[in-house]
Amino acid sequence: MWALRRASATLRKQRLSIESTQIRFGIPCVSNSLPEDCDVGVHTPAEFESHKFLSLKSFHKKAGSSPAALWGTCRFSSHAETKNSGRDGDETEDGFSDLDSLASENDIADKNEESDSESDLSDEAVDDLEHGIEDSQDLVDTKTPFAKKRFGSTLFKEFLDDPASTVDSIVTKWKNKGNDLTRSELTEVMTGFRRRRMFGKALKLSEWMESCEEIEFTDRDFASRVDLIAKMRDLHRAEAFLQKIPKEFRGELAYRAFLANCVYAVNVKKAEETFNKMKELGFPISCFAFNQLLLLYKRTDKKKIADVLLLMEKHGVKPSRFTYKVLIDVKGQANDIDGMEKIIETMKSEGMNPPISVKASIAKYYIAGGHNEKAEAVLKDMEGGDAMETRFARPYFLSLYASLGKADEVSRIWQDCKSKPRVDEALSAIRAWGSLKKFDEAEEAFEALIDKFKNSKSLTSKAYNVLLSVYADNKMLEKGKELVKRMGQSHCNAGPLIWDTLVQLYCNAGELEGADSILKNAGSKGKPKPLYRTYSTVMEEYSKKGDVHNCEKIFYRMRQVGYTSRFRQFETLIKAYVNAKAPAYGMAERMKADNIFPNKALAGLINQVDAFRQTSWSEILD
């Protein structure tokens, strides 16, 4: 523990507003097994639980700061607000007619994938929050044994073969064939829906199960419903349902499911309220709850991480492998390599060897910090591990060797999986070759993926988007247009992720009007709303040009589709006025109305555009 204390000391002097790196990796502490005592949350096997506490007082920004008030009440507070949703109703303008030829509706899996990015998180942050939420299997009844073959349920196949029919009709048809309806069968179906991210179907099945007299609804079923409502609708409705759950079933499971979704939505205020509520109700404060707060503050306010760690120590909660992973990320993102290494040493001393995914992130932080030799050593260690583990690490190898500029190593790894590439391998290969400016090789990897999975619409959408990102990053506008035409010809689904990449493509190529046209088309009635960052990209380009009119227009359209105002949004708008050297009337009042308060730098910008500001000359003239 002393090593961890020293490792965190440098954070007193560092400002931890470091952006997340763009490496994706799975979170190993989420259980993939189904123990009988499986519970909602992040599960840590006994061998992965530390026997020491993480009393990292030096995570506080100011030396000598005390969390005494926090200890006394175990409460957190924040001004963060909930994000809303809505749709844009702007008419389509000329400038990008190819979007019209793309399918406007996505399948359920695509919709959920796209909605996951609406919080404007980096890839790493999305992945952390997604894996920080309970594994889907934890929200179904695991007391009843599963069939040995994964998703071998005939009932699940019935749902897949007839997606348009209602739950009741499919179950009735299945029972008429002489099958018995059991909880284990429904559990397999629910797990299948969750693994395929078919949360809409899972929610309908949950509602049917509650109304079905043959199935006794349990606290785990209610917790699953809370999670599904939060995913498919919003936190407000999930919270309303949580309060309606019968008291005997409204236990820790339901609150943990809601807490995890608050963290996923980056709703600081609601997450803190839920954590405090769990304590007030007398629920045990588990490592899961603390890990959720660590995930939240890793994204929003790293200074609070020390408070969480000290509170864990006060309550006698041992850190899990996931706890260490978050701390490694915090150190890596702050470029505190020495601190990161000391945390890794402490983790190993507790018998928790970092898994492949965490090793990959460590290598990424080494590369970002200019420690290429250390990164290569980590890669060699990864390649020398278990054969099966190494096989599934290929996407990491492709990405990391590309970051090191080692085209030969990327080629070597790609040759091993080129004949029968898995989805993640091919997508990583496209990105790797793109970052190395090897565009022919990137297109070859794209074609290999399309040929193998040409009948999967959701897959081809991902593949097109990755290659389109390569073109966008390298300002290859014509190539991007050709790819979009091909998407339309193949009836590929278009959604918020595709639109976001298209906007980036046009903005990077200097075609701002084309990007705005795409945004209007994407936000037209009847389509899923564009991502927050898509609007921000166009708005920032207008701001740089000092185009106040169009900047205000994008600001208004974001309100129309349901995005609440944020600090960065006002900052971009104010910079537009500064660049245009135009006065902004009532800007401070507008921010105050949205409960947003400027920092010192933004206050200075507001003063520059304040039409009524007092200067030395104005005082003389008055």
Side-chain angles (χ1 to χ4, degrees):
M1 285 296 91
W2 177 242
L4 280 174
R5 290 175 185 268
R6 289 186 300 167
S8 63
T10 53
L11 289 181
R12 295 178 182 174
K13 303 177 182 179
Q14 293 176 353
R15 182 177 180 181
L16 296 178
S17 58
I18 309 299
E19 293 182 359
S20 299
T21 53
Q22 297 297 312
I23 178 173
R24 292 188 60 84
F25 48 87
I27 306 305
C29 61
V30 179
S31 173
N32 290 323
S33 60
L34 292 171
E36 290 187 359
D37 59 348
C38 187
D39 205 355
V40 179
V42 177
H43 291 273
T44 306
E47 63 269 26
F48 295 134
E49 184 174 293
S50 173
H51 297 289
K52 297 183 180 180
F53 300 114
L54 288 174
S55 175
L56 301 186
K57 296 180 182 179
S58 53
F59 262 89
H60 289 278
K61 186 169 184 179
K62 295 182 179 180
S65 60
S66 172
L70 178 65
W71 288 357
T73 61
C74 297
R75 299 188 68 85
F76 296 88
S77 62
S78 175
H79 293 294
E81 299 296 334
T82 309
K83 290 188 280 289
N84 298 321
S85 59
R87 296 190 182 278
D88 191 356
D90 292 335
E91 296 297 327
T92 301
E93 291 185 0
D94 295 334
F96 200 77
S97 59
D98 291 325
L99 270 178
D100 296 330
S101 63
L102 301 182
S104 61
E105 296 296 330
N106 296 319
D107 56 25
I108 295 175
D110 277 343
K111 285 182 178 179
N112 282 291
E113 176 195 352
E114 288 154 359
S115 66
D116 289 343
S117 297
E118 291 185 4
S119 57
D120 195 33
L121 304 178
S122 68
D123 287 344
E124 179 186 346
V126 169
D127 195 66
D128 278 350
L129 293 170
E130 180 174 308
H131 288 84
I133 295 180
E134 64 289 339
D135 188 272
S136 60
Q137 298 173 8
D138 300 331
L139 288 174
V140 294
D141 183 5
T142 59
K143 304 288 184 181
T144 309
F146 281 81
K148 290 185 178 180
K149 184 178 180 182
R150 180 186 286 184
F151 306 142
S153 165
T154 55
L155 179 56
F156 182 65
K157 292 178 181 177
E158 292 282 347
F159 277 101
L160 293 182
D161 293 339
D162 191 6
S165 297
T166 63
V167 172
D168 187 63
S169 63
I170 291 176
V171 173
T172 301
K173 185 170 103 174
W174 185 76
K175 289 170 65 177
N176 289 339
K177 295 179 181 180
N179 298 304
D180 293 328
L181 183 64
T182 63
R183 174 168 281 278
S184 62
E185 192 73 42
L186 291 172
T187 296
E188 273 208 74
V189 175
M190 184 67 76
T191 305
F193 284 150
R194 284 182 171 274
R195 290 210 173 201
R196 289 172 178 253
R197 305 184 63 77
M198 300 169 66
F199 299 127
K201 281 285 188 183
L203 179 57
K204 290 178 181 178
L205 178 61
S206 174
E207 293 170 344
W208 180 86
M209 287 172 62
E210 185 180 12
S211 63
C212 178
E213 297 181 356
E214 300 178 50
I215 304 297
E216 182 181 355
F217 224 59
T218 66
D219 57 345
R220 194 178 304 275
D221 296 317
F222 281 111
S224 176
R225 177 80 67 79
V226 171
D227 175 64
L228 293 170
I229 292 174
K231 283 180 167 63
M232 291 304 299
R233 294 168 187 170
D234 54 46
L235 288 177
H236 177 73
R237 295 185 185 183
E239 186 176 24
F241 177 79
L242 176 64
Q243 299 306 318
K244 293 179 182 178
I245 295 175
K247 190 173 182 179
E248 62 269 24
F249 297 115
R250 197 192 316 144
E252 182 190 5
L253 289 178
Y255 278 94
R256 287 168 75 172
F258 184 68
L259 172 63
N261 280 283
C262 291
V263 172
Y264 186 84
V266 202
N267 190 324
V268 181
K269 182 178 180 181
K270 188 60 66 176
E272 291 171 348
E273 288 176 354
T274 304
F275 180 87
N276 293 327
K277 183 68 174 178
M278 292 172 69
K279 185 175 185 304
E280 290 171 5
L281 293 173
F283 297 143
I285 307 298
S286 63
C287 191
F288 165 80
F290 286 112
N291 282 338
Q292 290 299 310
L293 291 181
L294 289 174
L295 278 175
L296 181 66
Y297 296 140
K298 172 191 166 186
R299 171 64 182 168
T300 60
D301 189 356
K302 293 182 175 69
K303 291 180 290 185
K304 289 186 178 181
I305 288 177
D307 293 341
V308 178
L309 295 174
L310 290 168
L311 197 58
M312 287 177 68
E313 181 178 6
K314 179 181 181 295
H315 285 277
V317 178
K318 306 292 194 304
S320 68
R321 186 169 63 174
F322 190 77
T323 311
Y324 282 102
K325 181 216 169 295
V326 175
L327 298 181
I328 289 171
D329 285 342
V330 171
K331 290 293 186 180
Q333 291 166 13
N335 199 26
D336 182 3
I337 301 302
D338 290 338
M340 181 183 74
E341 290 175 341
K342 289 173 183 176
I343 289 177
I344 295 168
E345 289 173 6
T346 304
M347 182 181 182
K348 290 180 178 179
S349 71
E350 291 297 303
M352 303 183 197
N353 289 322
I356 282 285
S357 56
V358 176
K359 288 180 180 178
S361 67
I362 292 170
K364 180 69 175 182
Y365 296 136
Y366 277 141
I367 295 171
H371 302 276
N372 289 358
E373 292 183 0
K374 290 185 176 182
E376 291 182 39
V378 173
L379 284 168
K380 290 192 180 298
D381 177 61
M382 292 168 64
E383 289 201 63
D386 178 77
M388 183 60 69
E389 192 178 47
T390 301
R391 175 190 170 192
F392 286 98
R394 285 172 178 169
Y396 302 131
F397 295 143
L398 290 166
S399 175
L400 293 169
Y401 278 126
S403 297
L404 288 168
K406 293 184 173 292
D408 292 342
E409 294 297 327
V410 172
S411 179
R412 175 177 64 83
I413 299 297
W414 175 237
Q415 290 300 322
D416 290 340
C417 48
K418 182 178 178 180
S419 58
K420 294 182 178 180
R422 291 175 28 231
V423 177
D424 54 350
E425 293 170 346
L427 295 179
S428 294
I430 296 170
R431 294 189 187 99
W433 288 124
S435 66
L436 291 168
K437 311 298 182 184
K438 302 280 187 180
F439 305 119
D440 291 339
E441 287 82 351
E443 291 168 353
E444 179 187 352
F446 169 80
E447 296 296 344
L449 184 61
I450 294 296
D451 289 343
K452 184 176 179 181
F453 299 99
K454 56 186 176 183
N455 295 323
S456 174
K457 292 183 179 180
S458 61
L459 175 63
T460 55
S461 176
K462 294 178 184 177
Y464 277 112
N465 191 53
V466 172
L467 184 58
L468 195 61
S469 295
V470 171
Y471 292 149
D473 292 341
N474 292 279
K475 303 180 182 181
M476 302 171 70
L477 182 59
E478 294 305 318
K479 281 275 191 178
K481 288 181 177 180
E482 292 175 6
L483 186 63
V484 170
K485 289 180 181 178
R486 181 174 171 182
M487 290 168 65
Q489 293 169 358
S490 63
H491 304 288
C492 177
N493 293 321
L497 291 178
I498 293 288
W499 300 330
D500 183 65
T501 308
L502 284 170
V503 166
Q504 289 286 350
L505 175 71
Y506 271 72
C507 285
N508 291 349
E511 297 285 344
L512 184 52
E513 291 184 3
D516 196 355
S517 177
I518 294 168
L519 185 59
K520 289 179 181 178
N521 195 340
S524 60
K525 188 175 181 180
K527 297 179 182 179
K529 69 178 181 182
L531 305 183
Y532 178 92
R533 68 175 179 236
T534 310
Y535 284 104
S536 295
T537 298
V538 177
M539 187 175 176
E540 286 173 3
E541 291 300 317
Y542 279 130
S543 178
K544 292 175 185 177
K545 292 177 176 292
D547 191 336
V548 172
H549 171 75
N550 281 308
C551 216
E552 287 278 14
K553 179 187 67 178
I554 300 296
F555 187 97
Y556 175 69
R557 283 163 58 185
M558 293 174 77
R559 288 284 188 93
Q560 278 188 314
V561 300
Y563 286 121
T564 55
S565 298
R566 306 185 190 179
F567 182 92
R568 180 182 172 186
Q569 190 179 357
F570 272 106
E571 182 180 40
T572 303
L573 181 61
I574 293 168
K575 285 181 178 179
Y577 280 95
V578 172
N579 292 333
K581 298 180 180 180
Y585 295 92
M587 189 62 69
E589 289 73 17
R590 289 171 65 178
M591 294 183 67
K592 186 176 180 180
D594 285 328
N595 200 30
I596 296 174
F597 303 94
N599 57 21
K600 184 176 181 180
L602 188 58
L605 292 177
I606 294 175
N607 186 57
Q608 288 184 43
V609 296
D610 184 1
F612 303 106
R613 73 180 186 276
Q614 293 292 319
T615 66
S616 58
W617 283 105
S618 62
E619 291 175 358
I620 293 173
L621 292 174
D622 289 342

